[in-house]
Amino acid sequence: MFDEILKLVKDQLNGNQQVANAIPTENSDAVPHEIASQISSGFKNEASTPNGIEGLLSSIQNCFAGGSPVTGAITGGLVSSLSSKFGLSPAITGAIAGMLPGLLQKFASKVNDPEDTSVTPQSIRSHLGV
């Protein structure tokens, strides 16, 4: 599942040349990996709540509606991490955080697409160990 998240992150970054060009060349691999790690950690944290994996799946499916708990949790850690680890400016970290709802929507589409078996509720459960 991590590889699928990483691929979506890279695709999303490459689709926004302004953000992609603002990432220093020496961090061009590390930044997408950090974003994917933050998303994966956010998923694990959300799955450990009382609502469990079902709550996580619901949050992912509704992430593009404002105020999703999983989006909010990931955004805070992501902005802080990108700023401290890579020295990215607030404008760039904000732009990356702004891409999260769209990225999570694409992830949710993969989960819900019966023709796409790259990410399924079962693979999410397996990845999260629940």
Side-chain angles (χ1 to χ4, degrees):
M1 182 179 92
F2 182 83
D3 291 336
E4 287 299 319
I5 295 171
L6 183 59
K7 181 182 179 323
L8 287 171
V9 167
K10 288 180 178 181
D11 290 348
Q12 194 81 358
L13 286 174
N14 290 333
N16 186 330
Q17 286 303 305
Q18 183 178 8
V19 173
N21 292 337
I23 297 171
T25 305
E26 65 270 13
N27 295 327
S28 62
D29 287 329
V31 168
H33 193 273
E34 181 64 22
I35 296 168
S37 293
Q38 290 291 324
I39 291 170
S40 183
S41 292
F43 286 175
K44 287 179 184 178
N45 290 340
E46 184 70 16
S48 69
T49 66
N51 293 329
I53 190 72
E54 283 71 29
L56 169 65
L57 293 173
S58 175
S59 288
I60 291 171
Q61 291 168 353
N62 296 314
C63 65
F64 43 92
S68 165
V70 72
T71 304
I74 294 169
T75 300
L78 177 63
V79 167
S80 174
S81 176
L82 293 175
S83 177
S84 66
K85 288 184 179 181
F86 304 107
L88 297 179
S89 73
I92 298 305
T93 58
I96 291 171
M99 294 184 333
L100 274 179
L103 190 135
L104 295 176
Q105 183 179 9
K106 288 180 182 180
F107 186 81
S109 294
K110 290 178 91 44
V111 172
N112 293 319
D113 183 354
E115 301 296 317
D116 185 348
T117 60
S118 62
V119 181
T120 63
Q122 294 78 18
S123 69
I124 294 171
R125 283 184 180 91
S126 175
H127 175 75
L128 299 177
V130 292

